Amino acid sequence: KAGVTQTPRYLIKTRGQQVTLSCSPISGHRSVSWYQQTPGQGLQFLFEYFSETQRNKGNFPGRFSGRQFSNSRSEMNVSTLELGDSALYLCASSLVGGATYGYTFGSGTRLTVV
Amino acid sequence: AQTVTQSQPEMSVQEAETVTLSCTYDTSESDYYLFWYKQPPSRQMILVIRQEAYKQQNATENRFSVNFQKAAKSFSLKISDSQLGDAAMYFCAYRSANTGNQFYFGTGTSLTVIP
């Protein structure tokens, strides 16, 4: 059974650009959540999607957005990149009922903004 | 918002020995879940162990066990017979049973296993 797949693994962007990250959840998992991990702030919740609808959103500016497709694959987009957006972005999927049994995480996308 | 505190940024343990990682959390809820995740250099977060707050019995998974003290809001992880492969960052996480799927993570403990 394939795990959570995130692409790309690494990304370097310039300030002001925008970026799109992709996440394919485990087959059968309909909930996809995104987290930002930085040395200073740790792991912070970005948003959660379930059945193509955003169900929950963390405290991030509107430059951070996401969506989920009918096959449960999800993308997150960051517009007008800032240096502080450099981070590891982790995607996690869970079963229909939510993450009561925990998430399954991908290996993340390392975004560097220069 | 709930907060999760891991007061030990770094810990080390001799191979085959036992180590305990600390975690405390702050919540006004009575129903929730607690987790320990491991993040090796490969970056992928791996679920180590899970505890439901309504269960008094401490969870165990092979060499990993927890000491869950609900009144004290404490959730420590004990790793027995430590192995080199246990070296990683360990994160404690909280999830409400009632208010959505969001996890709150601690800042992590970096565990070194000394051969």
Side-chain angles (χ1 to χ4, degrees):
Chain A
K1 187 171 175 180
V4 177
T5 303
Q6 290 189 248
T7 56
R9 289 265 295 173
Y10 300 91
L11 207 48
I12 300 175
K13 289 287 188 179
T14 304
R15 261 185 310 176
Q17 288 186 312
Q18 75 165 22
V19 67
T20 300
L21 312 181
S22 178
C23 172
S24 294
I26 287 176
S27 178
H29 285 195
R30 291 168 59 189
S31 171
V32 174
S33 296
W34 290 87
Y35 286 82
Q36 181 196 64
Q37 185 176 20
T38 60
Q41 300 296 319
L43 283 140
Q44 293 187 288
F45 174 75
L46 281 155
F47 27 65
E48 181 206 3
Y49 286 87
F50 178 77
S51 292
E52 302 178 63
T53 302
Q54 186 180 89
R55 211 159 56 164
N56 201 3
K57 189 178 191 316
N59 189 25
F60 278 81
R63 300 185 297 106
F64 291 82
S65 63
R67 58 178 176 168
Q68 186 180 35
F69 302 94
S70 58
N71 62 357
S72 294
R73 188 177 73 86
S74 177
E75 290 181 346
M76 68 162 281
N77 184 77
V78 188
S79 63
T80 318
L81 283 165
E82 300 176 0
L83 295 179
D85 297 332
S86 295
L88 179 66
Y89 290 88
L90 291 166
C91 168
S93 72
S94 58
L95 290 170
V96 172
T100 58
Y101 292 94
Y103 288 124
T104 300
F105 282 87
S107 296
T109 294
R110 172 78 66 188
L111 172 65
T112 301
V113 182
V114 297
Chain B
Q2 284 73 16
T3 57
V4 178
T5 302
Q6 293 179 251
S7 59
Q8 306 154 316
E10 296 178 346
M11 292 281 285
S12 62
V13 62
Q14 293 279 350
E15 198 175 0
E17 296 296 309
T18 295
V19 64
T20 298
L21 308 184
S22 301
C23 172
T24 59
Y25 56 94
D26 185 23
T27 184
S28 58
E29 299 177 325
S30 60
D31 198 9
Y32 49 87
Y33 304 90
L34 297 166
F35 303 84
W36 278 97
Y37 276 88
K38 167 185 174 181
Q39 187 178 39
S42 66
R43 306 182 331 202
Q44 185 175 15
M45 300 272 282
I46 301 165
L47 178 63
V48 175
I49 199 164
R50 165 185 174 271
Q51 174 83 42
E52 294 106 323
Y54 66 85
K55 287 188 176 179
Q56 290 188 324
Q57 186 173 8
N58 289 323
T60 62
E61 286 288 340
N62 301 314
R63 299 182 294 106
F64 299 88
S65 62
V66 298
N67 183 5
F68 173 48
Q69 303 286 331
K70 190 172 184 178
K73 296 179 184 175
S74 170
F75 182 61
S76 61
L77 174 70
K78 185 171 84 170
I79 306 174
S80 304
D81 185 25
S82 295
Q83 300 175 0
L84 295 177
D86 295 334
M89 281 290 289
Y90 285 81
F91 292 93
C92 177
Y94 170 102
R95 177 193 179 269
S96 167
N98 303 309
T99 57
N101 229 10
Q102 180 176 351
F103 278 43
Y104 296 88
F105 287 89
T107 51
T109 297
S110 178
L111 179 67
T112 299
V113 180
I114 302 166

